[in-house]
Amino acid sequence: RDASHRNHTGEMLRHVASRAVRQTRALHTSARAFAADAPAVSLDDTAEAWATVKAAVATEEGQRAIAQLQKTMGDIRDEVGRDAKPVAPIDWAALKAKSGFPAIVDQFKAGLEGVKYPAYDGNEVEETKATFKRLVAEAEKMVAEAAKREAEIDAELASIAEDKKKLATITMDEVFEKEPELKKEVDERIRNDQWF
């Protein structure tokens, strides 16, 4: 189970890291456009999401991996936020007047307006959603199995506690009633004259 957990954690970290690299490359060319279109996510929502993820991880190794992932995601968010801040529009008329070289300013304006930013067609969001959906489904399956096993263990513990109370007064008939296979084995040994 620990190996499976490490595999999931490693897979998640690899996925996030590769996504971050692809996003950083694309964002350097289209950061301003991204900032205008990006939906705002409050820090409260982010903190709540991380708290939920941390609560689901039981091992120290898993907690360290989640903390590292949270730090990496925070660093990426901060870097993208710095690069994606919108810039004030250029006042070309004022620049022409101040510079004294209106023809050069016109050339810069034409050059800037002629820049074609490449479209970013990455599908990291869909990949990440699919990966997390699969991981959540596996986690929910493990939770269901754990709850089932917990109920079985609770029943066994209750039975053991009950048997412990009766230990001084229990009869062999009561034992055989509870464990019919043991009765068959004892009867067989008596028939074959096996006393030890």
Side-chain angles (χ1 to χ4, degrees):
R1 186 167 157 169
D2 286 342
S4 172
H5 175 73
R6 280 193 296 272
N7 287 344
H8 290 308
T9 303
E11 181 180 331
M12 190 172 8
L13 289 173
R14 278 192 302 279
H15 183 75
V16 168
S18 67
R19 179 178 152 221
V21 168
R22 288 191 302 262
Q23 281 182 338
T24 302
R25 286 180 189 151
L27 285 172
H28 283 298
T29 58
S30 60
R32 290 182 186 92
F34 175 79
D37 298 337
V41 177
S42 76
L43 291 176
D44 289 342
D45 291 345
T46 304
E48 185 178 322
W50 281 115
T52 303
V53 170
K54 286 179 181 176
V57 177
T59 65
E60 283 185 36
E61 181 183 342
Q63 290 289 341
R64 283 193 299 272
I66 294 298
Q68 180 62 38
L69 178 62
Q70 184 179 9
K71 181 185 179 307
T72 302
M73 294 297 287
D75 292 346
I76 292 168
R77 184 191 61 235
D78 293 345
E79 183 178 335
V80 168
R82 275 192 308 273
D83 292 343
K85 288 202 175 20
V87 205
I90 300 170
D91 184 353
W92 295 106
L95 194 55
K96 281 181 188 180
K98 284 182 185 177
S99 72
F101 299 101
I104 293 176
V105 172
D106 285 338
Q107 288 177 355
F108 274 105
K109 182 179 179 184
L112 185 59
E113 289 172 350
V115 172
K116 300 282 189 243
Y117 293 105
Y120 181 68
D121 58 354
N123 61 345
E124 287 80 13
V125 172
E126 291 77 18
E127 288 175 8
T128 303
K129 282 182 181 177
T131 299
F132 277 105
K133 185 176 180 180
R134 183 174 50 79
L135 292 173
V136 166
E138 289 175 14
E140 287 172 351
K141 181 180 175 187
M142 287 182 202
V143 167
E145 289 172 1
K148 180 181 172 188
R149 184 64 185 133
E150 182 181 16
E152 291 171 359
I153 290 171
D154 285 345
E156 288 174 23
L157 289 173
S159 175
I160 290 169
E162 191 63 34
D163 288 348
K164 189 175 177 183
K165 287 180 190 174
K166 296 179 181 176
L167 200 55
T169 59
I170 195 166
T171 65
M172 285 307 294
D173 287 337
E174 290 172 326
V175 171
F176 290 150
E177 184 180 325
K178 203 169 193 179
E179 299 183 41
E181 291 299 319
L182 180 62
K183 179 170 177 32
K184 288 179 186 175
E185 183 182 332
V186 169
D187 288 344
E188 183 66 28
R189 289 174 68 98
I190 290 172
R191 271 194 296 278
N192 294 330
D193 223 12
Q194 296 175 331
W195 299 100
F196 298 101

